[in-house]
Amino acid sequence: GQNIDQPTEMTATEGAIVQINCTYQTSGFNGLFWYQQHAGEAPTFLSYNVLDGLEEKGRFSSFLSRSKGYSYLLLKELQMKDSASYLCAVSDSNYQLIWGAGTKLIIKP
Amino acid sequence: ETGVTQTPRHLVMGMTNKKSLKCEQHLGHNAMYWYKQSAKKPLELMFVYNFKEQTENNSVPSRFSPECPNSSHLFLHLHTLQPEDSALYLCASSRDAAKGYNEQFFGPGTRLTVL
């Protein structure tokens, strides 16, 4: 079967750094996405990785290792507005997105 | 309007009712999706339309019926639903469902409660 695993919940302090991990097992791989979803709102796109390595975009970075079936999202200089759920999704051999259950990130002052 | 819009935002219905959810995208995309989001569960893909053709139907019960009259509009017709169908229903669109880099843009969702 196909599955995506990520922690259910994480807590971090304002101004700090947090890393959210995602491991996957899918039939085929056409890229990995990270989305952010604030409570009661739509998911919004954060990043896309298809090759191994680190992609940096401002305070957010995303890393991929295809051989390990592993990715992480790194958030730096955390702000209160970063409190949200972070969803990992993999595009499989049919370009269908397989989603993780999301990681709820709680930021404390 | 811009982006992806959905109506209604909230819906309460009885098990014998018939209702429809509407989605409209103003992004010039060719693919549209219906997802079901339940608490603490992964997003469940229900239906995919690519260039107005249905390409995915992930074993969704027949009480859910999609309709895609054009590439900008998507409907989800509901009838004789069950309480376990209560969830957030999200619509999304993207340029092309058959591409690897396929960023999906989501609407705000319809919060459905079945009594």
Side-chain angles (χ1 to χ4, degrees):
Chain A
Q2 307 197 96
N3 71 287
I4 311 288
D5 289 316
Q6 48 181 134
T8 303
E9 187 174 299
M10 299 182 70
T11 302
T13 305
E14 191 177 14
I17 299 173
V18 71
Q19 177 175 311
I20 302 174
N21 296 325
C22 171
T23 58
Y24 62 89
Q25 289 180 302
T26 57
S27 57
F29 180 84
N30 280 301
L32 185 143
F33 294 80
W34 284 97
Y35 279 78
Q36 180 190 62
Q37 185 176 24
H38 285 101
E41 298 183 11
T44 55
F45 171 81
L46 287 177
S47 67
Y48 172 75
N49 295 67
V50 67
L51 299 177
D52 289 352
L54 187 68
E55 295 277 345
E56 297 186 75
K57 192 187 292 186
R59 293 189 298 114
F60 292 8
S61 302
S62 56
F63 172 83
L64 174 67
S65 169
R66 288 172 298 171
S67 62
K68 296 182 179 178
Y70 168 70
S71 172
Y72 67 73
L73 181 69
L74 191 71
L75 291 75
K76 302 176 184 176
E77 301 169 17
L78 286 170
Q79 302 175 9
M80 298 303 293
K81 67 179 182 180
D82 297 329
S83 292
S85 287
Y86 291 85
L87 311 179
C88 174
V90 171
S91 178
D92 71 5
S93 57
N94 294 317
Y95 303 106
Q96 180 172 319
L97 286 187
I98 310 301
W99 295 81
T103 298
K104 182 178 181 180
L105 177 63
I106 300 168
I107 309 297
K108 295 187 174 179
Chain B
E1 294 212 53
T2 59
V4 182
T5 58
Q6 289 186 244
T7 55
R9 294 293 308 275
H10 300 273
L11 179 62
V12 179
M13 58 187 289
M15 291 194 290
T16 59
N17 291 158
K18 288 184 180 181
K19 296 286 184 183
S20 295
L21 309 185
K22 179 183 176 183
C23 175
E24 185 172 358
Q25 59 97 359
H26 308 268
L27 300 169
H29 288 164
N30 297 298
M32 296 190 77
Y33 311 76
W34 279 118
Y35 285 95
K36 176 183 179 182
Q37 188 174 37
S38 302
K40 299 185 179 180
K41 288 187 177 180
L43 282 171
E44 298 174 45
L45 179 64
M46 301 175 71
F47 302 103
V48 181
Y49 280 84
N50 204 28
F51 295 90
K52 296 191 293 180
E53 296 294 322
Q54 186 174 323
T55 59
E56 293 287 342
N57 175 349
N58 288 351
S59 303
V60 179
S62 59
R63 57 186 183 269
F64 295 92
S65 174
E67 179 189 357
C68 187
N70 54 61
S71 58
S72 298
H73 294 85
L74 184 65
F75 296 89
L76 187 63
H77 303 300
L78 317 170
H79 65 96
T80 58
L81 294 190
Q82 304 298 310
E84 60 264 29
D85 297 323
S86 298
L88 181 68
Y89 288 84
L90 290 164
C91 173
S93 71
S94 70
R95 286 197 186 90
D96 186 339
K99 296 290 185 188
Y101 179 62
N102 186 28
E103 179 185 346
Q104 296 183 17
F105 292 78
F106 286 83
T110 295
R111 173 67 63 185
L112 174 66
T113 302
V114 181
L115 302 176

